[in-house]
Every structure is written in C-alpha cells, then in structure tokens.
Amino acid sequence: MKNIDMAVEGDILTIRVDLKREFGESKSGKSITIASTEGNVSVPEHEEIKIGLNIYRKK
C-alpha cells in the first residue's frame, strides 16, 4: 500500500491518508496518485473483508 494507514476499533474502520504526498502519474497519465492500496487488500483483523482504494488528483 502507498500512503494508507488502516485501523479497526470495534466495528469501525478508520483510513488515514496524507493528502500532501504524491507518487507521480497514474498508469494512464491522466492523474497524480496520492494513495493506493494497489489492488484489493484485507481489512486489518478481518481477512474476509476486502478494500480497494485509489486517491488521486487531476494532472
């Protein structure tokens, strides 16, 4: 994962992302990647639950 922290407290999933970080152009070249799970990943402590997240801005 790039620039994503996930934590589970009880039944609540919290996702933290630093919006000031950037990782360059997306594969399409149309946007700048800020954060990504880089595909589907399991939620901490809940292997059966998956998340796929991309955060980006226009170029």
Side-chain angles (χ1 to χ4, degrees):
M1 290 191 298
K2 292 181 182 175
N3 192 26
I4 296 175
D5 290 319
M6 293 191 291
V8 175
E9 239 180 90
D11 292 331
I12 304 297
L13 169 64
T14 302
I15 301 169
R16 295 182 55 154
V17 173
D18 180 351
L19 297 176
K20 292 182 181 179
R21 291 186 69 185
E22 294 182 352
F23 291 92
E25 290 184 355
S26 64
K27 289 181 183 178
S28 70
K30 296 179 183 179
S31 60
I32 303 295
T33 301
I34 295 170
S36 178
T37 57
E38 300 178 311
N40 296 327
V41 297
S42 295
V43 170
E45 304 169 25
H46 297 275
E47 292 299 315
E48 73 284 3
I49 300 174
K50 306 292 184 188
I51 183 171
L53 179 67
N54 291 307
I55 300 175
Y56 59 92
R57 67 172 177 80
K58 287 187 178 182
K59 197 170 164 186

Short mmCIF file of all heavy atoms in Angstrom, two decimals:
data_model
loop_
_atom_site.label_atom_id
_atom_site.label_comp_id
_atom_site.label_asym_id
_atom_site.label_seq_id
_atom_site.Cartn_x
_atom_site.Cartn_y
_atom_site.Cartn_z
N MET A 1 0.84 -1.18 0.00
CA MET A 1 0.00 0.00 0.00
C MET A 1 0.88 1.24 0.00
O MET A 1 1.97 1.24 0.57
CB MET A 1 -0.91 0.02 1.23
CG MET A 1 -1.99 -1.01 1.20
SD MET A 1 -3.24 -0.78 2.47
CE MET A 1 -2.29 -0.95 3.95
N LYS A 2 0.38 2.28 -0.61
CA LYS A 2 1.09 3.55 -0.65
C LYS A 2 0.28 4.59 0.11
O LYS A 2 -0.86 4.89 -0.24
CB LYS A 2 1.23 4.04 -2.09
CG LYS A 2 2.15 3.23 -2.96
CD LYS A 2 2.21 3.84 -4.34
CE LYS A 2 3.09 3.03 -5.25
NZ LYS A 2 3.06 3.53 -6.62
N ASN A 3 0.87 5.13 1.20
CA ASN A 3 0.32 6.28 1.91
C ASN A 3 -1.07 6.01 2.51
O ASN A 3 -1.90 6.91 2.56
CB ASN A 3 0.28 7.49 0.97
CG ASN A 3 -0.01 8.79 1.68
OD1 ASN A 3 0.26 8.95 2.85
ND2 ASN A 3 -0.58 9.72 0.94
N ILE A 4 -1.34 4.80 2.94
CA ILE A 4 -2.63 4.46 3.56
C ILE A 4 -2.37 3.72 4.86
O ILE A 4 -1.63 2.73 4.88
CB ILE A 4 -3.49 3.59 2.64
CG1 ILE A 4 -3.85 4.35 1.37
CG2 ILE A 4 -4.76 3.13 3.37
CD1 ILE A 4 -4.61 3.53 0.35
N ASP A 5 -2.98 4.20 5.93
CA ASP A 5 -2.96 3.51 7.22
C ASP A 5 -4.40 3.16 7.56
O ASP A 5 -5.29 4.02 7.51
CB ASP A 5 -2.39 4.40 8.33
CG ASP A 5 -0.91 4.65 8.17
OD1 ASP A 5 -0.19 3.69 7.83
OD2 ASP A 5 -0.47 5.78 8.39
N MET A 6 -4.63 1.89 7.89
CA MET A 6 -5.97 1.45 8.27
C MET A 6 -5.92 0.91 9.69
O MET A 6 -4.96 0.25 10.07
CB MET A 6 -6.46 0.34 7.34
CG MET A 6 -6.71 0.77 5.93
SD MET A 6 -7.56 -0.46 4.95
CE MET A 6 -6.32 -1.72 4.79
N ALA A 7 -6.98 1.18 10.44
CA ALA A 7 -7.10 0.67 11.80
C ALA A 7 -8.56 0.33 12.07
O ALA A 7 -9.46 1.02 11.59
CB ALA A 7 -6.61 1.69 12.81
N VAL A 8 -8.79 -0.74 12.81
CA VAL A 8 -10.13 -1.15 13.18
C VAL A 8 -10.28 -1.01 14.69
O VAL A 8 -9.44 -1.49 15.45
CB VAL A 8 -10.41 -2.61 12.76
CG1 VAL A 8 -11.78 -3.05 13.25
CG2 VAL A 8 -10.31 -2.75 11.25
N GLU A 9 -11.32 -0.30 15.10
CA GLU A 9 -11.67 -0.15 16.51
C GLU A 9 -13.11 -0.59 16.66
O GLU A 9 -14.01 0.08 16.16
CB GLU A 9 -11.53 1.32 16.94
CG GLU A 9 -10.55 1.52 18.08
CD GLU A 9 -10.45 2.97 18.47
OE1 GLU A 9 -11.23 3.39 19.34
OE2 GLU A 9 -9.60 3.66 17.89
N GLY A 10 -13.32 -1.73 17.28
CA GLY A 10 -14.68 -2.29 17.36
C GLY A 10 -15.15 -2.64 15.97
O GLY A 10 -14.52 -3.43 15.27
N ASP A 11 -16.22 -2.02 15.54
CA ASP A 11 -16.77 -2.25 14.20
C ASP A 11 -16.48 -1.10 13.24
O ASP A 11 -17.09 -1.02 12.17
CB ASP A 11 -18.29 -2.46 14.28
CG ASP A 11 -18.65 -3.75 14.99
OD1 ASP A 11 -17.85 -4.71 14.92
OD2 ASP A 11 -19.72 -3.82 15.60
N ILE A 12 -15.58 -0.21 13.61
CA ILE A 12 -15.28 0.98 12.80
C ILE A 12 -13.90 0.87 12.16
O ILE A 12 -12.89 0.67 12.84
CB ILE A 12 -15.33 2.27 13.65
CG1 ILE A 12 -16.68 2.40 14.36
CG2 ILE A 12 -15.03 3.50 12.81
CD1 ILE A 12 -17.87 2.56 13.44
N LEU A 13 -13.87 1.00 10.82
CA LEU A 13 -12.61 1.04 10.07
C LEU A 13 -12.25 2.51 9.85
O LEU A 13 -13.05 3.29 9.33
CB LEU A 13 -12.77 0.35 8.71
CG LEU A 13 -11.63 0.54 7.72
CD1 LEU A 13 -10.34 -0.09 8.25
CD2 LEU A 13 -12.00 -0.04 6.37
N THR A 14 -11.04 2.87 10.24
CA THR A 14 -10.54 4.23 10.03
C THR A 14 -9.40 4.17 9.03
O THR A 14 -8.49 3.35 9.16
CB THR A 14 -10.03 4.84 11.36
OG1 THR A 14 -11.10 4.83 12.30
CG2 THR A 14 -9.55 6.26 11.16
N ILE A 15 -9.47 5.05 8.03
CA ILE A 15 -8.43 5.12 7.00
C ILE A 15 -7.79 6.50 7.08
O ILE A 15 -8.49 7.52 7.06
CB ILE A 15 -9.05 4.91 5.59
CG1 ILE A 15 -9.73 3.55 5.53
CG2 ILE A 15 -7.99 5.06 4.52
CD1 ILE A 15 -10.58 3.36 4.30
N ARG A 16 -6.45 6.51 7.14
CA ARG A 16 -5.70 7.77 7.20
C ARG A 16 -4.82 7.89 5.97
O ARG A 16 -4.10 6.95 5.62
CB ARG A 16 -4.85 7.84 8.45
CG ARG A 16 -5.69 7.88 9.72
CD ARG A 16 -4.81 8.00 10.91
NE ARG A 16 -3.97 9.19 10.69
CZ ARG A 16 -3.43 9.90 11.66
NH1 ARG A 16 -3.59 9.55 12.89
NH2 ARG A 16 -2.69 10.95 11.39
N VAL A 17 -4.86 9.07 5.33
CA VAL A 17 -4.07 9.35 4.13
C VAL A 17 -3.50 10.76 4.26
O VAL A 17 -4.21 11.70 4.61
CB VAL A 17 -4.96 9.27 2.86
CG1 VAL A 17 -4.21 9.73 1.64
CG2 VAL A 17 -5.51 7.88 2.68
N ASP A 18 -2.20 10.90 3.98
CA ASP A 18 -1.56 12.22 3.95
C ASP A 18 -1.82 12.81 2.56
O ASP A 18 -1.24 12.36 1.57
CB ASP A 18 -0.07 12.08 4.22
CG ASP A 18 0.67 13.41 4.20
OD1 ASP A 18 0.07 14.43 3.80
OD2 ASP A 18 1.86 13.41 4.56
N LEU A 19 -2.69 13.81 2.48
CA LEU A 19 -3.09 14.37 1.19
C LEU A 19 -2.00 15.22 0.54
O LEU A 19 -2.13 15.60 -0.63
CB LEU A 19 -4.37 15.20 1.35
CG LEU A 19 -5.58 14.39 1.81
CD1 LEU A 19 -6.78 15.32 2.03
CD2 LEU A 19 -5.94 13.29 0.80
N LYS A 20 -0.92 15.50 1.25
CA LYS A 20 0.18 16.29 0.69
C LYS A 20 1.17 15.43 -0.09
O LYS A 20 1.96 15.95 -0.87
CB LYS A 20 0.90 17.05 1.79
CG LYS A 20 0.06 18.14 2.40
CD LYS A 20 0.82 18.90 3.44
CE LYS A 20 -0.06 19.97 4.04
NZ LYS A 20 0.63 20.71 5.09
N ARG A 21 1.15 14.11 0.13
CA ARG A 21 2.11 13.22 -0.56
C ARG A 21 1.62 12.91 -1.97
O ARG A 21 0.42 12.87 -2.24
CB ARG A 21 2.27 11.92 0.21
CG ARG A 21 3.00 12.14 1.52
CD ARG A 21 3.29 10.87 2.23
NE ARG A 21 4.30 10.10 1.51
CZ ARG A 21 4.68 8.88 1.84
NH1 ARG A 21 4.14 8.28 2.88
NH2 ARG A 21 5.59 8.24 1.16
N GLU A 22 2.56 12.66 -2.86
CA GLU A 22 2.25 12.28 -4.24
C GLU A 22 3.22 11.19 -4.68
O GLU A 22 4.37 11.16 -4.23
CB GLU A 22 2.35 13.48 -5.17
CG GLU A 22 1.32 14.54 -4.90
CD GLU A 22 1.40 15.69 -5.87
OE1 GLU A 22 2.35 15.76 -6.68
OE2 GLU A 22 0.50 16.55 -5.82
N PHE A 23 2.75 10.33 -5.60
CA PHE A 23 3.57 9.22 -6.08
C PHE A 23 3.69 9.23 -7.60
O PHE A 23 3.91 8.20 -8.21
CB PHE A 23 2.99 7.89 -5.59
CG PHE A 23 3.13 7.71 -4.11
CD1 PHE A 23 2.13 8.12 -3.26
CD2 PHE A 23 4.29 7.19 -3.58
CE1 PHE A 23 2.27 7.99 -1.89
CE2 PHE A 23 4.44 7.05 -2.21
CZ PHE A 23 3.42 7.45 -1.36
N GLY A 24 3.55 10.39 -8.21
CA GLY A 24 3.72 10.50 -9.65
C GLY A 24 2.45 10.18 -10.41
O GLY A 24 1.37 10.00 -9.85
N GLU A 25 2.63 10.11 -11.73
CA GLU A 25 1.50 9.89 -12.62
C GLU A 25 0.90 8.50 -12.47
O GLU A 25 1.61 7.54 -12.19
CB GLU A 25 1.94 10.05 -14.08
CG GLU A 25 2.28 11.45 -14.48
CD GLU A 25 2.61 11.56 -15.96
OE1 GLU A 25 2.67 10.51 -16.65
OE2 GLU A 25 2.82 12.67 -16.42
N SER A 26 -0.40 8.43 -12.75
CA SER A 26 -1.07 7.13 -12.81
C SER A 26 -0.61 6.42 -14.08
O SER A 26 0.07 7.00 -14.93
CB SER A 26 -2.58 7.34 -12.86
OG SER A 26 -2.94 8.03 -14.05
N LYS A 27 -0.99 5.17 -14.21
CA LYS A 27 -0.59 4.41 -15.41
C LYS A 27 -1.13 5.03 -16.69
O LYS A 27 -0.49 5.00 -17.72
CB LYS A 27 -1.06 2.96 -15.28
CG LYS A 27 -0.29 2.18 -14.25
CD LYS A 27 -0.75 0.75 -14.17
CE LYS A 27 -0.01 0.02 -13.07
NZ LYS A 27 -0.46 -1.35 -12.91
N SER A 28 -2.33 5.63 -16.60
CA SER A 28 -2.93 6.26 -17.78
C SER A 28 -2.28 7.60 -18.09
O SER A 28 -2.41 8.12 -19.20
CB SER A 28 -4.43 6.46 -17.57
OG SER A 28 -4.66 7.46 -16.59
N GLY A 29 -1.62 8.21 -17.09
CA GLY A 29 -1.00 9.51 -17.28
C GLY A 29 -1.96 10.67 -17.12
O GLY A 29 -1.60 11.82 -17.32
N LYS A 30 -3.21 10.41 -16.75
CA LYS A 30 -4.23 11.45 -16.64
C LYS A 30 -4.32 12.06 -15.25
O LYS A 30 -4.94 13.10 -15.07
CB LYS A 30 -5.60 10.90 -17.02
CG LYS A 30 -5.70 10.45 -18.46
CD LYS A 30 -7.08 9.89 -18.74
CE LYS A 30 -7.19 9.37 -20.16
NZ LYS A 30 -8.51 8.80 -20.41
N SER A 31 -3.72 11.42 -14.26
CA SER A 31 -3.85 11.91 -12.89
C SER A 31 -2.56 11.65 -12.10
O SER A 31 -1.67 10.94 -12.55
CB SER A 31 -5.04 11.23 -12.20
OG SER A 31 -4.86 9.83 -12.17
N ILE A 32 -2.50 12.27 -10.91
CA ILE A 32 -1.38 12.10 -9.99
C ILE A 32 -1.87 11.26 -8.81
O ILE A 32 -2.86 11.61 -8.16
CB ILE A 32 -0.86 13.46 -9.48
CG1 ILE A 32 -0.46 14.37 -10.65
CG2 ILE A 32 0.27 13.27 -8.49
CD1 ILE A 32 0.70 13.87 -11.46
N THR A 33 -1.18 10.17 -8.52
CA THR A 33 -1.57 9.28 -7.43
C THR A 33 -1.15 9.87 -6.09
O THR A 33 0.00 10.27 -5.91
CB THR A 33 -0.91 7.90 -7.61
OG1 THR A 33 -1.31 7.35 -8.85
CG2 THR A 33 -1.29 6.96 -6.47
N ILE A 34 -2.10 9.91 -5.15
CA ILE A 34 -1.84 10.38 -3.79
C ILE A 34 -1.74 9.19 -2.84
O ILE A 34 -0.90 9.17 -1.94
CB ILE A 34 -2.94 11.36 -3.33
CG1 ILE A 34 -2.88 12.61 -4.20
CG2 ILE A 34 -2.82 11.69 -1.85
CD1 ILE A 34 -4.05 13.55 -4.01
N ALA A 35 -2.60 8.19 -3.04
CA ALA A 35 -2.58 7.00 -2.19
C ALA A 35 -3.25 5.85 -2.94
O ALA A 35 -4.13 6.07 -3.77
CB ALA A 35 -3.30 7.26 -0.88
N SER A 36 -2.85 4.62 -2.62
CA SER A 36 -3.45 3.46 -3.26
C SER A 36 -3.21 2.20 -2.43
O SER A 36 -2.14 2.04 -1.84
CB SER A 36 -2.86 3.26 -4.65
OG SER A 36 -3.40 2.11 -5.26
N THR A 37 -4.20 1.33 -2.42
CA THR A 37 -3.99 0.01 -1.83
C THR A 37 -3.29 -0.90 -2.84
O THR A 37 -2.89 -1.99 -2.49
CB THR A 37 -5.32 -0.64 -1.41
OG1 THR A 37 -6.18 -0.71 -2.54
CG2 THR A 37 -5.96 0.11 -0.26
N GLU A 38 -3.18 -0.46 -4.08
CA GLU A 38 -2.55 -1.22 -5.17
C GLU A 38 -3.27 -2.55 -5.37
O GLU A 38 -2.66 -3.60 -5.43
CB GLU A 38 -1.06 -1.40 -4.90
CG GLU A 38 -0.33 -0.08 -4.80
CD GLU A 38 1.13 -0.22 -4.50
OE1 GLU A 38 1.49 -0.97 -3.56
OE2 GLU A 38 1.92 0.43 -5.20
N GLY A 39 -4.58 -2.47 -5.49
CA GLY A 39 -5.41 -3.66 -5.65
C GLY A 39 -6.24 -3.88 -4.40
O GLY A 39 -6.28 -3.04 -3.50
N ASN A 40 -6.92 -5.00 -4.33
CA ASN A 40 -7.75 -5.31 -3.17
C ASN A 40 -6.91 -5.93 -2.07
O ASN A 40 -6.11 -6.82 -2.34
CB ASN A 40 -8.87 -6.26 -3.56
CG ASN A 40 -9.82 -5.63 -4.56
OD1 ASN A 40 -10.04 -4.42 -4.53
ND2 ASN A 40 -10.37 -6.42 -5.45
N VAL A 41 -7.08 -5.44 -0.85
CA VAL A 41 -6.36 -5.96 0.32
C VAL A 41 -7.37 -6.23 1.43
O VAL A 41 -8.47 -5.68 1.45
CB VAL A 41 -5.27 -4.98 0.82
CG1 VAL A 41 -4.20 -4.77 -0.24
CG2 VAL A 41 -5.87 -3.65 1.24
N SER A 42 -6.97 -7.07 2.37
CA SER A 42 -7.84 -7.38 3.51
C SER A 42 -7.81 -6.26 4.52
O SER A 42 -6.79 -5.62 4.75
CB SER A 42 -7.37 -8.66 4.19
OG SER A 42 -7.53 -9.76 3.33
N VAL A 43 -8.97 -6.03 5.16
CA VAL A 43 -9.07 -5.08 6.26
C VAL A 43 -8.36 -5.71 7.46
O VAL A 43 -8.50 -6.91 7.71
CB VAL A 43 -10.55 -4.81 6.57
CG1 VAL A 43 -10.72 -4.01 7.85
CG2 VAL A 43 -11.21 -4.08 5.39
N PRO A 44 -7.58 -4.92 8.21
CA PRO A 44 -6.89 -5.48 9.37
C PRO A 44 -7.85 -6.21 10.31
O PRO A 44 -8.94 -5.72 10.60
CB PRO A 44 -6.30 -4.24 10.07
CG PRO A 44 -6.18 -3.22 8.99
CD PRO A 44 -7.32 -3.49 8.06
N GLU A 45 -7.44 -7.38 10.75
CA GLU A 45 -8.20 -8.22 11.67
C GLU A 45 -9.48 -8.80 11.09
O GLU A 45 -10.27 -9.40 11.81
CB GLU A 45 -8.52 -7.44 12.97
CG GLU A 45 -7.31 -6.89 13.67
CD GLU A 45 -7.66 -5.93 14.78
OE1 GLU A 45 -8.77 -6.02 15.34
OE2 GLU A 45 -6.82 -5.07 15.09
N HIS A 46 -9.71 -8.61 9.78
CA HIS A 46 -10.91 -9.11 9.10
C HIS A 46 -10.53 -9.61 7.71
O HIS A 46 -10.86 -8.98 6.71
CB HIS A 46 -11.99 -8.03 8.99
CG HIS A 46 -12.49 -7.54 10.31
ND1 HIS A 46 -13.48 -8.18 10.99
CD2 HIS A 46 -12.11 -6.50 11.08
CE1 HIS A 46 -13.72 -7.54 12.13
NE2 HIS A 46 -12.89 -6.52 12.20
N GLU A 47 -9.82 -10.71 7.66
CA GLU A 47 -9.29 -11.23 6.40
C GLU A 47 -10.36 -11.44 5.33
O GLU A 47 -10.09 -11.37 4.14
CB GLU A 47 -8.54 -12.54 6.64
CG GLU A 47 -7.26 -12.37 7.44
CD GLU A 47 -6.25 -11.48 6.74
OE1 GLU A 47 -6.02 -11.65 5.52
OE2 GLU A 47 -5.68 -10.60 7.42
N GLU A 48 -11.60 -11.68 5.74
CA GLU A 48 -12.68 -11.96 4.79
C GLU A 48 -13.25 -10.68 4.16
O GLU A 48 -13.98 -10.75 3.18
CB GLU A 48 -13.81 -12.74 5.48
CG GLU A 48 -14.67 -11.95 6.44
CD GLU A 48 -14.04 -11.66 7.81
OE1 GLU A 48 -12.88 -12.02 8.06
OE2 GLU A 48 -14.76 -11.06 8.64
N ILE A 49 -12.90 -9.51 4.70
CA ILE A 49 -13.38 -8.23 4.17
C ILE A 49 -12.25 -7.58 3.39
O ILE A 49 -11.13 -7.43 3.88
CB ILE A 49 -13.84 -7.31 5.31
CG1 ILE A 49 -14.98 -7.96 6.09
CG2 ILE A 49 -14.28 -5.96 4.75
CD1 ILE A 49 -15.40 -7.19 7.33
N LYS A 50 -12.55 -7.18 2.15
CA LYS A 50 -11.54 -6.59 1.26
C LYS A 50 -11.85 -5.13 0.99
O LYS A 50 -13.01 -4.71 1.03
CB LYS A 50 -11.49 -7.34 -0.08
CG LYS A 50 -11.29 -8.84 0.03
CD LYS A 50 -9.93 -9.18 0.54
CE LYS A 50 -9.76 -10.70 0.54
NZ LYS A 50 -8.55 -11.10 1.19
N ILE A 51 -10.79 -4.37 0.69
CA ILE A 51 -10.94 -2.98 0.29
C ILE A 51 -9.98 -2.70 -0.86
O ILE A 51 -8.86 -3.20 -0.88
CB ILE A 51 -10.69 -2.02 1.48
CG1 ILE A 51 -10.93 -0.58 1.08
CG2 ILE A 51 -9.30 -2.23 2.05
CD1 ILE A 51 -10.91 0.39 2.25
N GLY A 52 -10.44 -1.90 -1.81
CA GLY A 52 -9.61 -1.42 -2.89
C GLY A 52 -9.80 0.10 -2.96
O GLY A 52 -10.92 0.58 -3.10
N LEU A 53 -8.72 0.85 -2.81
CA LEU A 53 -8.83 2.30 -2.69
C LEU A 53 -7.77 2.99 -3.53
O LEU A 53 -6.60 2.62 -3.49
CB LEU A 53 -8.66 2.69 -1.21
CG LEU A 53 -8.72 4.17 -0.87
CD1 LEU A 53 -10.12 4.71 -1.10
CD2 LEU A 53 -8.31 4.36 0.58
N ASN A 54 -8.19 3.99 -4.29
CA ASN A 54 -7.28 4.85 -5.04
C ASN A 54 -7.67 6.28 -4.76
O ASN A 54 -8.85 6.64 -4.87
CB ASN A 54 -7.36 4.60 -6.54
CG ASN A 54 -6.82 3.25 -6.91
OD1 ASN A 54 -5.71 2.90 -6.56
ND2 ASN A 54 -7.61 2.46 -7.61
N ILE A 55 -6.69 7.11 -4.41
CA ILE A 55 -6.93 8.54 -4.20
C ILE A 55 -5.99 9.27 -5.14
O ILE A 55 -4.78 9.00 -5.16
CB ILE A 55 -6.68 8.92 -2.73
CG1 ILE A 55 -7.64 8.13 -1.83
CG2 ILE A 55 -6.85 10.42 -2.54
CD1 ILE A 55 -7.42 8.33 -0.36
N TYR A 56 -6.55 10.20 -5.91
CA TYR A 56 -5.75 10.87 -6.93
C TYR A 56 -6.31 12.26 -7.20
O TYR A 56 -7.40 12.60 -6.76
CB TYR A 56 -5.73 10.06 -8.23
CG TYR A 56 -7.11 9.82 -8.79
CD1 TYR A 56 -7.65 10.70 -9.73
CD2 TYR A 56 -7.88 8.74 -8.39
CE1 TYR A 56 -8.92 10.49 -10.25
CE2 TYR A 56 -9.14 8.52 -8.90
CZ TYR A 56 -9.65 9.40 -9.83
OH TYR A 56 -10.92 9.21 -10.33
N ARG A 57 -5.53 13.06 -7.93
CA ARG A 57 -6.00 14.36 -8.39
C ARG A 57 -5.72 14.47 -9.88
O ARG A 57 -4.84 13.78 -10.41
CB ARG A 57 -5.33 15.49 -7.61
CG ARG A 57 -3.85 15.64 -7.87
CD ARG A 57 -3.30 16.90 -7.22
NE ARG A 57 -1.87 17.01 -7.40
CZ ARG A 57 -1.26 17.45 -8.50
NH1 ARG A 57 -1.99 17.83 -9.55
NH2 ARG A 57 0.05 17.51 -8.58
N LYS A 58 -6.47 15.35 -10.52
CA LYS A 58 -6.24 15.56 -11.95
C LYS A 58 -4.87 16.17 -12.15
O LYS A 58 -4.36 16.93 -11.33
CB LYS A 58 -7.31 16.48 -12.53
CG LYS A 58 -8.63 15.82 -12.68
CD LYS A 58 -9.59 16.73 -13.40
CE LYS A 58 -10.93 16.03 -13.59
NZ LYS A 58 -11.86 16.87 -14.33
N LYS A 59 -4.28 15.86 -13.26
CA LYS A 59 -2.95 16.33 -13.62
C LYS A 59 -3.00 17.80 -14.02
O LYS A 59 -3.94 18.31 -14.52
CB LYS A 59 -2.42 15.49 -14.77
CG LYS A 59 -0.97 15.57 -14.98
CD LYS A 59 -0.56 14.52 -15.95
CE LYS A 59 0.80 14.82 -16.48
NZ LYS A 59 1.20 13.93 -17.51
#
